[in-house]
Amino acid sequence: MKKSIRGKLYLFLLATLIFCTFISFKGNSLTVKADDETVTPYETPNSDPIVFLGIWFTNGYSLQPETDYYTQVGQSIVVHTSPGRSIWTTMMGLADSPHYRWYKSTDSGKNWSEVSESDGGHRMNFPITPTETGTTWYQLDTQYYTLITPWAKTHIYSKVTAVHVKDAVNATSLKVSADDNYIYNESDSDLAQNYTFIHAYPTPSDATGKITYSVDKPEIADFAADSENGGTTNELVAKDGATGTVRVTATMENPNGSETSGYVDVKVGGGLDDQTVDVGDPATFSMHGNIDGTNSNTNGSIQIKWYKYDKDGNQTTVATSSGSNYKDYADYTIPKTTMDDDGTQYQAKITVSLLGGLIQTDSLTTNKATLTVKNEPKVSITGKAVNNTYDDGSNTSNTLNKVTNKGDVSYEYDIKDSKKQSVLDGGSFVIPLHNGTTVNSVELDGSSLASSEYTVISDSDGKKDYLVVNDINFDADTQSHSVKVDTTVSGITDKEQFDYTPYYYGNDYSGTVYKTEADKYTINYVNDSFNASVDDIDFGTIASSETNTLYYRQEDNNLPNNTIDISDQRRDKKPMKVFVAQPEALTNGMVLRYYQNGNYTNLSSSDVLIKSFGQDDTASIGWKKDEGILLYVGNTTPLAGKYTTQLNWTFEDSV
């Protein structure tokens, strides 16, 4: 357990400072409270030490006795303490060694007596085995001196503690805490605080059970041995070079045999934590440890340097404290990170010197901590396609209808990154186009691009072209772009629904390509024409002996098959009527009839109305078996042979 600077300068300081003396005068002017009882201490307790990281500026105790201990007759306890001296006092008394003197009082501090050495009164960790109930108060005087200078003592007085011996009380819960939740993994430097003290507080507070401690990862940190009394103390000490988190569990064994426990986690490391920030945000590296100290002693000085290591490991000094401002250098901040900072490392070195910095006494170098700069763009794409040639009112920002050849269609998109500091370079915006579309012009942020500044690529199946607009990048100064494209439609031969999704991609420095898509858009293409095709009608073989008989079409001429296939892709439709005429008769006794709803009309050279369509409901025509055009054979028996005739179909717009 380290509490003072190593004796590097023993001979030098002994020679120059041999005449420095420290004399203490007793004065019981302070009263304290223990368990709600006013107690007069043996001596005024020292104030808590002022510590900067592992550097002690004043004398004191890193571990004071607890205010109250509760136990039973015959149940031993150990009052653990840990005194220490300031770095300057240590340097002026390297030959001094600690001597421990415990004092006790049974009357609230009115009278004090020294605890004998045989009763453990000369130990830092004080063992007590009570023989009777009641309360006894104790105070430790830690004295630093050499055997040849006992008159030049440095006294460090602890706070007063009360040991209550009473009847058994069982605990229902246990709260566990650590003085520091981070400890250094280095023992070679006295500036590195590689220990912390663990405390366990039961409910109720006067529970009299016995507390033990354990750790889940002793390879990271474990409890220091109690060389004076056996067992271990409540001082958790980090293992050299270990990194990670250790869970400390405290367990109280109650007088009735039950147990209650609690835990606390302590992190072990080299002093600095890795940092992860968004690009453009500041990044701060902070040294773990207490930073409340002040460099008010003119006999020595403290300097902190910060180093930066680039991705190739090259070191650069980025900050150096001067004079008494070292406290301001316990942290180092990169005010505005860039992607070039990603993967860089940072390290701090603390140096303590005497005599105006002429003599270096000790130093501490932290681990290298890595800075990760996150680049998390959030790009959105909004826009529309516009048919500048034709609009019947059915178009929306996401859907164009009745687009045909020679139509002028423009595309307008805004591409925005809502993460203001994110960075994307090598960015491209891609608009899928119907194959054969002619790109007339492209504008980026209001400026016309030359044809060499964008690319049109056809896919392998020949159904799509891809317009690629490059150099669309984002950084802290540019968070939005606009793209406007003018095109002419061509290559449309039939009705077609064309779905497309524009997208953006760029380099986000993560080793992967950032990509985001817009909503899906639809263009419904038509060829702006009316087309109809009529299948032949076949009545099969007719028996010559059957007269006055109605013959039906072959099955292939009935629904669900259509007889007349109509494709109406006109953009400006009107109501339509369909007529049929039979210019030439088949032969005597054979008549074609048009049946509808049980009624029929004989076909002749005059037009017979087959179907009327409204403006937007034009559709193909097919009939059930007993409807449509059927063949009737009357009284005359037709001669054997093959009979054909031609039907004339008329498709007429109507008003």
Side-chain angles (χ1 to χ4, degrees):
M1 178 175 65
K2 312 184 311 300
K3 299 295 180 294
S4 60
I5 296 296
R6 296 188 299 266
K8 295 179 181 177
L9 307 178
Y10 170 75
L11 293 177
F12 174 82
L13 291 176
L14 182 61
T16 54
L17 305 175
I18 191 74
F19 300 105
C20 296
T21 61
F22 298 86
I23 302 175
S24 169
F25 298 93
K26 184 175 179 179
N28 298 330
S29 59
L30 178 69
T31 60
V32 297
K33 279 182 173 267
D35 199 27
D36 294 329
E37 186 168 355
T38 301
V39 180
T40 302
Y42 172 72
E43 282 289 350
T44 302
N46 282 61
S47 300
D48 290 335
I50 298 175
V51 179
F52 178 81
L53 298 176
I55 307 169
W56 285 48
F57 293 102
T58 59
N59 301 334
Y61 287 83
S62 57
L63 176 63
Q64 291 276 8
E66 300 288 357
T67 303
D68 297 281
Y69 294 86
Y70 298 90
T71 187
Q72 302 165 239
V73 172
Q75 179 175 286
S76 299
I77 64 169
V78 177
V79 179
H80 293 112
T81 68
S82 183
R85 293 184 296 164
S86 75
I87 187 174
W88 321 122
T89 304
T90 301
M91 290 297 98
M92 292 185 292
L94 287 175
D96 293 347
S97 59
H99 304 267
Y100 307 102
R101 298 293 182 267
W102 283 92
Y103 295 88
K104 69 178 180 179
S105 173
T106 57
D107 55 6
S108 302
K110 296 180 179 65
N111 296 284
W112 290 88
S113 61
E114 185 176 344
V115 180
S116 68
E117 183 176 3
S118 61
D119 287 335
H122 293 183
R123 302 181 188 181
M124 180 180 72
N125 296 307
F126 179 38
I128 302 171
T129 304
T131 58
E132 58 182 1
T133 59
T135 299
T136 303
W137 291 267
Y138 297 91
Q139 186 177 20
L140 172 61
D141 172 17
T142 301
Q143 308 168 2
Y144 286 89
Y145 61 90
T146 67
L147 294 178
I148 62 175
T149 59
W151 41 271
K153 294 180 179 179
T154 297
H155 292 269
I156 306 175
Y157 294 100
S158 74
K159 295 178 181 178
V160 174
T161 182
V163 177
H164 309 278
V165 185
K166 54 184 297 183
D167 292 336
V169 176
N170 296 311
T172 58
S173 63
L174 198 63
K175 181 180 179 180
V176 184
S177 64
D179 287 345
D180 295 284
N181 290 97
Y182 188 102
I183 54 179
Y184 282 71
N185 59 9
E186 182 180 342
S187 61
D188 290 338
S189 172
D190 291 306
L191 307 184
Q193 185 172 321
N194 70 331
Y195 63 90
T196 188
F197 295 101
I198 306 298
H199 305 272
Y201 301 103
T203 300
S205 61
D206 62 346
T208 57
K210 187 175 182 179
I211 295 175
T212 57
Y213 296 99
S214 63
V215 296
D216 65 339
K217 299 175 183 176
E219 69 276 10
I220 295 178
D222 208 348
F223 286 98
D226 187 346
S227 59
E228 297 173 314
N229 305 291
T232 59
T233 69
N234 64 331
E235 181 186 26
L236 182 70
V237 183
K239 302 294 184 179
D240 283 351
T243 300
T245 299
V246 60
R247 173 159 292 183
V248 181
T249 301
T251 302
M252 175 172 274
E253 183 180 352
N254 285 318
N256 66 1
S258 65
E259 290 183 349
T260 184
S261 62
Y263 68 87
V264 65
D265 290 334
V266 177
K267 188 175 180 180
V268 177
L272 294 178
D273 291 333
D274 294 339
Q275 298 296 316
T276 300
V277 299
D278 288 328
V279 62
D281 288 345
T284 298
F285 292 89
S286 302
M287 285 185 283
H288 285 282
N290 193 309
I291 58 171
D292 293 333
T294 57
N295 187 16
S296 59
N297 193 308
T298 58
N299 291 327
S301 63
I302 297 173
Q303 183 186 71
I304 297 179
K305 281 189 175 183
W306 283 90
Y307 303 103
K308 175 183 178 179
Y309 297 85
D310 64 21
K311 297 174 185 178
D312 296 324
N314 300 312
Q315 182 194 78
T316 305
T317 301
V318 292
T320 303
S321 67
S322 60
S324 60
N325 69 341
Y326 60 87
K327 280 185 61 177
D328 298 333
Y329 288 77
D331 302 327
Y332 176 72
T333 298
I334 300 95
K336 185 177 182 179
T337 55
T338 68
M339 291 312 301
D340 291 335
D341 294 317
D342 183 46
T344 57
Q345 294 183 309
Y346 296 82
Q347 186 178 49
K349 182 177 181 180
I350 306 98
T351 303
V352 178
S353 304
L354 291 178
L355 302 179
L358 295 177
I359 302 174
Q360 177 178 321
T361 62
D362 211 343
S363 65
L364 167 66
T365 302
T366 69
N367 64 299
K368 294 177 182 178
T370 301
L371 173 60
T372 299
V373 180
K374 293 189 304 179
N375 187 34
E376 296 182 343
K378 192 174 182 180
V379 177
S380 60
I381 304 170
T382 58
K384 61 183 178 179
V386 179
N387 189 343
N388 300 302
T389 303
Y390 179 87
D391 187 352
D392 64 354
S394 65
N395 294 333
T396 68
S397 59
N398 284 65
T399 303
L400 295 184
N401 294 311
K402 302 177 182 178
V403 179
T404 192
N405 292 314
K406 299 183 180 180
D408 185 341
V409 175
S410 61
Y411 303 83
E412 302 174 10
Y413 293 99
D414 291 319
I415 311 160
K416 296 182 179 180
D417 186 0
S418 60
K419 286 291 190 73
K420 293 184 178 180
Q421 303 292 344
S422 67
V423 178
L424 285 166
D425 67 4
S428 297
F429 182 57
V430 181
I431 305 175
L433 302 172
H434 190 282
N435 179 257
T437 299
T438 300
V439 177
N440 301 320
S441 64
V442 178
E443 290 184 7
L444 175 59
D445 299 330
S447 298
S448 296
L449 300 182
S451 58
S452 60
E453 295 178 289
Y454 60 86
T455 306
V456 178
I457 303 172
S458 296
D459 66 2
S460 58
D461 62 10
K463 294 182 178 180
K464 285 184 180 180
D465 292 338
Y466 295 90
L467 170 64
V468 183
V469 183
N470 298 317
D471 295 326
I472 301 182
N473 304 321
F474 294 95
D475 54 31
D477 298 321
T478 304
Q479 285 96 44
S480 65
H481 293 280
S482 63
V483 174
K484 186 174 181 179
V485 180
D486 184 73
T487 68
T488 299
V489 178
S490 64
I492 306 304
T493 60
D494 202 354
K495 184 177 183 180
E496 179 182 353
Q497 177 177 306
F498 181 78
D499 296 323
Y500 69 99
T501 303
Y503 60 91
Y504 171 86
Y505 66 90
N507 172 27
D508 66 355
Y509 291 86
S510 67
T512 60
V513 174
Y514 175 87
K515 180 181 177 181
T516 188
E517 295 182 342
D519 293 335
K520 185 180 77 172
Y521 293 80
T522 298
I523 298 179
N524 291 308
Y525 290 102
V526 294
N527 60 19
D528 198 24
S529 64
F530 178 89
N531 294 287
S533 62
V534 182
D535 289 344
D536 291 340
I537 300 174
D538 185 0
F539 293 98
T541 302
I542 299 172
S544 61
S545 60
E546 295 182 3
T547 58
N548 300 314
T549 302
L550 185 65
Y551 289 88
Y552 299 98
R553 298 177 301 274
Q554 297 293 294
E555 287 298 324
D556 288 347
N557 291 137
N558 300 327
L559 288 174
N561 298 325
N562 294 320
T563 299
I564 306 169
D565 287 312
I566 295 175
S567 174
D568 189 357
Q569 299 182 39
R570 296 172 300 166
R571 292 197 298 192
D572 297 316
K573 294 182 179 180
K574 297 178 181 179
M576 176 174 286
K577 292 180 179 180
V578 180
F579 300 92
V580 65
Q582 182 183 353
E584 296 179 2
L586 284 169
T587 186
N588 291 335
M590 300 176 65
V591 179
L592 292 176
R593 295 176 176 178
Y594 176 68
Y595 280 83
Q596 186 176 20
N597 299 325
N599 300 315
Y600 69 87
T601 303
N602 290 333
L603 300 189
S604 65
S605 59
S606 299
D607 286 336
V608 175
L609 178 63
I610 297 297
K611 187 74 174 180
S612 293
F613 294 107
Q615 181 173 340
D616 295 311
D617 59 0
T618 307
S620 297
I621 300 172
W623 301 297
K624 294 186 292 184
K625 178 181 178 180
D626 57 355
E627 291 190 335
I629 297 175
L630 301 178
L631 175 63
Y632 179 76
V633 177
N635 293 325
T636 303
T637 300
L639 298 175
K642 183 177 181 180
Y643 296 90
T644 62
T645 190
Q646 179 176 320
L647 300 179
N648 291 339
W649 298 87
T650 303
F651 301 86
E652 179 181 283
D653 288 341
S654 61
V655 179

